[in-house]
Amino acid sequence: MRFFKNSSLAVFFVLGLQLHAQPRSDYWQQRADYDIRVSLDHKTHTFTGQQEITYTNNSPDTLEKVFYHLQFNAFQPGSNMDERSRDLPDPDRRVGSRIAGLSEKEIGEQKILWLKQDGKEANIEHWGTILKVTLPAPLAPGQTTKLALEFRGQVPQQIRRSGRNNSEGIHYSMAQWYPKLANYDRYGWNTTPYVGREFYGVWGNFDVRIDIDKAYTVAATGVLQNAEEMGRGYSTSKKNGAGTWHFRAENVHDFVWAADPKYIHTTHQVEGGPLMRFFYTEKKGDPAKNWEELPKYMERFFQLADSLVGPYPYPEFSFIQGGDGGMEYPMATLMMGRGKLKGMVGLAVHEAMHNWFYGMIATNENRYPWIDEGFTTFVENIIMQKLFPEEGVRASNPHYSNYLGYVQQYEAGKTEVLTTPSDHYLTNRAYGIASYSQGCLLLNNLLYIMGEEDFWKGFQNFFRKWAFHHPHPEDFIREMEKTSDLQLQWFLDLWIGTTQAIDLSIDSVYGDNNSTHIVIGRKGDIPMPATIGVVTPKGVELHHVPIDLMYGNSNQEGKHHPFWKWASRSYTLTLPVPFSDVSVVMVDPYFKTADIQRDNNRWKK
């Protein structure tokens, strides 16, 4: 394991990756360091704050304007989020038409009172959940500027992710609460209005001070800087939180906090790893036993995630009861706190696993939700199989549930291409299947093509190279190609850019006393290499048939054969085995591909 035993080493690792040579010679990314002071009035659910961002323009472009996200404004009748939810045929049940029914005292609000660049007033325009700022002085490439502002707002009634008084009684789930600078990348400004989907942020440090009534315990992204002063489980101090909560987080791209007067705060140190914090409440008749069981599972989670993907570099991670289900943030997750143990562990594993992909790989989730959600789901499934072993098909394919969901959607004719922007899928289900299931299955298909050893080596190389940056799909597939020495762009293009499917088959098996001929068919439109399992009295033989688009053979155990032309619908594999010795033939015998029709994968004498 490669855990860090103290926070200074963790910070060293974070800074080391951040300052590492750029992963591509033409790559650049912006930098935004936040200093925020916010004061929340728990009687009126309103807040005021001041913010200063030190913003560095590392792009080759001169910037004449900047944009901010004001996401609390989504929780107002008539907002894009409200209209979109009521327009979808299958709206999120947590949202539905609830926003339309909010009163003035229940809506969310974020308003910028003024904004200055290096002390000079800037022109600002509120556009719903987006603030447009015309800079008084254009920002040239390589320049750094100070963007200071004052804001006020109102915490909405809990609808989606953030808000007050959620269904489990948590007072404040403060996600998407501050004016968040939009990211500028090679595609320009990311000014997607917030409708409750995905996120994309600028790398930076956050220094945040929170003023709230002393009755509240606060949980947040980062490390509390005044633990002795605040007490409340952050130290052995008897002090009760009377003062300003001061948190600092280094090299993150978002900041969440939550507050409740009844939070129980416990900790668990992962050996050689992060300090885990748990914030939860007890309900009458429910002694929160699952929260007491959770630490041992999550310690094992951090160990497994480290070995499968790479190290978690931050000194702490907080599991915080709050929100409306589960939602990931840097160094923390908001999650529901009731339910059965396995479900709660699964939720915690999924949301914590996001810190490797949403948190450190940090792709533009509006453009590529399938990278974060799909990659997270893929590793989550493997870890959950280790934490709660299942027998049968799930033992060999822990992604079986995602496979079934994808096949059902495909058979219904409702799959949508993965290149669809996250807010523009025609149904919520199509978004979920594409982002979670098809994103997950993309990796399992690559594992089938590349083989276990090269797949995991490439996956870890990708994480190591691109952590603390903003990669794109082609950056991922290049790392997999470099590791395997195979061409793989064809598969990425077909899987994310079309709704075509995989369907390999064993069409016939025949032979004589000297040989056996196996006719492999391609019924689906996505060409794939064929791994064939042949059962004889000697056991199971594995045979690998690459397709010509790969321009090479995978490094997998078994016998390798000449390539299959991708345009051909069939391939005949001839083996020097008497036909009488062959009892079973299977294509994809270990159930790795997302083959939509597995009934034709097996021939039995």
Side-chain angles (χ1 to χ4, degrees):
M1 298 300 169
R2 301 179 296 275
F3 284 126
F4 297 95
K5 296 184 178 180
N6 58 59
S7 60
S8 62
L9 281 177
V11 170
F12 175 80
F13 176 79
V14 174
L15 292 174
L17 281 180
Q18 180 70 18
L19 299 175
H20 190 270
Q22 298 291 36
R24 282 199 321 264
S25 60
D26 62 342
Y27 181 81
W28 52 267
Q29 65 187 32
Q30 306 293 69
R31 179 80 183 179
D33 294 320
Y34 286 78
D35 193 320
I36 307 174
R37 181 79 181 249
V38 64
S39 178
L40 189 149
D41 184 337
H42 71 288
K43 295 179 181 178
T44 62
H45 310 300
T46 59
F47 56 92
T48 58
Q50 301 81 40
Q51 173 181 285
E52 182 178 83
I53 295 177
T54 302
Y55 184 55
T56 301
N57 178 18
N58 293 314
S59 82
D61 307 319
T62 295
L63 304 179
E64 297 183 349
K65 56 183 175 289
V66 298
F67 294 86
Y68 286 77
H69 297 280
L70 306 177
Q71 289 159 330
F72 268 11
N73 291 340
F75 302 102
Q76 298 176 6
S79 69
N80 271 315
M81 186 174 181
D82 175 34
E83 297 281 358
R84 178 63 170 163
S85 178
R86 289 187 285 126
D87 183 59
L88 284 168
D90 60 339
D92 188 318
R93 58 179 175 76
R94 293 166 293 191
V95 182
S97 60
R98 291 177 63 203
I99 296 176
L102 293 176
S103 69
E104 282 296 315
K105 292 186 177 181
E106 294 174 325
I107 65 170
E109 182 184 38
Q110 282 174 315
K111 186 173 180 62
I112 306 305
L113 304 180
W114 54 261
L115 190 150
K116 296 180 180 180
Q117 178 197 16
D118 297 327
K120 296 180 180 179
E121 195 86 22
N123 182 62
I124 60 176
E125 302 173 43
H126 287 81
W127 290 69
T129 61
I130 296 294
L131 181 78
K132 180 181 178 181
V133 181
T134 302
L135 298 175
L139 189 63
Q143 285 189 337
T144 296
T145 193
K146 300 280 189 181
L147 300 172
L149 59 82
E150 185 175 351
F151 63 97
R152 65 172 172 81
Q154 178 171 283
V155 184
Q157 180 69 35
Q158 176 79 46
I159 297 286
R160 186 73 180 97
R161 293 174 176 151
S162 54
R164 59 181 173 87
N165 304 322
N166 81 345
S167 63
E168 294 182 340
I170 301 302
H171 283 208
Y172 294 105
S173 301
M174 298 296 286
Q176 295 90 58
W177 60 277
Y178 64 96
K180 180 180 179 181
L181 191 66
N183 203 8
Y184 183 82
D185 62 16
R186 74 190 199 195
Y187 294 106
W189 286 102
N190 177 60
T191 54
T192 304
Y194 182 55
V195 298
R197 280 271 194 258
E198 305 295 348
F199 303 103
Y200 186 36
V202 189
W203 285 107
N205 298 332
F206 281 73
D207 196 293
V208 180
R209 292 171 172 82
I210 302 165
D211 292 308
I212 192 171
D213 187 86
K214 67 179 182 180
Y216 284 83
T217 296
V218 175
T221 290
V223 177
L224 185 65
Q225 301 300 295
N226 55 341
E228 287 299 322
E229 176 186 346
M230 304 310 290
R232 296 295 181 91
Y234 284 98
S235 71
T236 57
S237 169
K238 300 296 184 181
K239 295 183 178 180
N240 63 356
T244 298
W245 297 83
H246 181 195
F247 292 91
R248 183 174 294 151
E250 298 194 22
N251 283 306
V252 296
H253 49 80
D254 205 351
F255 189 98
V256 67
W257 61 283
D260 194 273
K262 295 182 179 180
Y263 267 149
I264 297 168
H265 177 193
T266 63
T267 63
H268 181 92
Q269 179 67 55
V270 176
E271 184 178 356
L275 176 68
M276 297 188 295
R277 298 187 183 277
F278 300 85
F279 298 86
Y280 59 95
T281 61
E282 286 188 331
K283 185 179 179 181
K284 189 174 182 180
D286 178 4
K289 288 183 179 179
N290 288 348
W291 282 96
E292 297 169 5
E293 291 287 316
L294 195 57
K296 67 180 181 182
Y297 287 99
M298 299 320 295
E299 175 163 18
R300 181 66 176 138
F301 157 78
F302 275 101
Q303 294 166 347
L304 289 168
D306 173 271
S307 63
L308 288 169
V309 185
Y312 176 81
Y314 301 103
E316 296 187 8
F317 189 90
S318 295
F319 297 90
I320 308 167
Q321 185 179 1
D324 61 350
M327 186 61 200
E328 68 276 4
Y329 299 96
M331 301 177 66
T333 178
L334 294 179
M335 56 182 285
M336 299 298 273
R338 308 284 183 250
K340 295 182 179 180
L341 178 62
K342 183 178 179 181
M344 192 167 163
V345 171
L347 179 63
V349 166
H350 180 86
E351 303 308 336
M353 195 68 239
H354 271 297
N355 264 255
W356 276 255
F357 301 110
Y358 151 84
M360 286 183 269
I361 292 298
T363 52
N364 183 344
E365 295 181 74
N366 294 304
R367 294 177 66 93
Y368 321 119
W370 56 270
I371 295 181
D372 171 44
E373 296 295 355
F375 288 22
T376 293
T377 299
F378 178 79
V379 182
E380 170 206 355
N381 290 342
I382 294 170
I383 290 177
M384 286 299 291
Q385 174 62 21
K386 293 180 182 295
L387 295 179
F388 297 90
E390 293 190 50
E391 297 180 352
V393 66
R394 284 179 171 82
S396 60
N397 185 359
H399 318 293
Y400 185 63
S401 294
N402 296 103
Y403 166 77
L404 289 180
Y406 160 66
V407 171
Q408 290 169 1
Q409 188 79 349
Y410 179 84
E411 290 177 343
K414 295 182 178 180
T415 52
E416 297 183 42
V417 294
L418 273 66
T419 52
T420 304
S422 64
D423 293 333
H424 294 272
Y425 282 88
L426 299 179
T427 65
N428 264 319
R429 179 166 174 78
Y431 159 78
I433 293 296
S435 301
Y436 293 76
S437 294
Q438 289 178 255
C440 166
L441 297 174
L442 177 144
L443 294 183
N444 215 37
N445 285 323
L446 282 175
L447 189 151
Y448 168 84
I449 295 169
M450 299 169 64
E452 294 264 357
E453 182 179 347
D454 281 349
F455 171 84
W456 285 109
K457 187 183 298 182
F459 198 57
Q460 291 164 2
N461 286 345
F462 169 67
F463 174 78
R464 188 161 43 245
K465 183 173 182 177
W466 283 97
F468 302 99
H469 296 90
H470 300 293
H472 298 273
E474 60 267 27
D475 299 314
F476 166 69
I477 210 67
R478 288 295 87 74
E479 289 306 312
M480 304 306 268
E481 288 180 334
K482 290 176 185 176
T483 302
S484 64
D485 196 26
L486 299 173
Q487 294 300 302
L488 300 169
Q489 186 70 46
W490 58 273
F491 177 73
L492 181 69
D493 290 344
L494 290 170
W495 190 255
I496 72 171
T498 76
T499 57
Q500 295 175 15
I502 299 166
D503 184 6
L504 296 176
S505 62
I506 300 298
D507 289 350
S508 64
V509 180
Y510 61 94
D512 53 30
N513 292 333
N514 299 312
S515 60
T516 296
H517 308 284
I518 301 168
V519 180
I520 310 163
R522 176 170 68 85
K523 303 295 190 291
D525 290 322
I526 295 182
M528 288 288 278
T531 293
I532 305 296
V534 179
V535 179
T536 71
K538 296 180 180 180
V540 179
E541 297 180 0
L542 288 180
H543 299 268
H544 303 284
V545 179
I547 59 170
D548 54 354
L549 296 174
M550 295 163 60
Y551 296 99
N553 283 302
S554 64
N555 182 26
Q556 300 189 64
E557 183 179 343
K559 186 174 181 181
H560 294 265
H561 296 268
F563 65 81
W564 182 357
K565 295 178 182 178
W566 79 263
S568 176
R569 288 284 178 175
S570 66
Y571 179 99
T572 300
L573 174 64
T574 298
L575 305 178
V577 178
F579 178 62
S580 59
D581 285 353
V582 176
S583 58
V584 177
V585 177
M586 286 193 68
V587 60
D588 184 21
Y590 299 120
F591 200 167
K592 299 297 184 186
T593 70
D595 192 312
I596 59 167
Q597 178 56 265
R598 299 199 66 83
D599 289 347
N600 59 17
N601 286 29
R602 187 171 185 265
W603 174 91
K604 185 177 181 180
K605 185 176 289 182

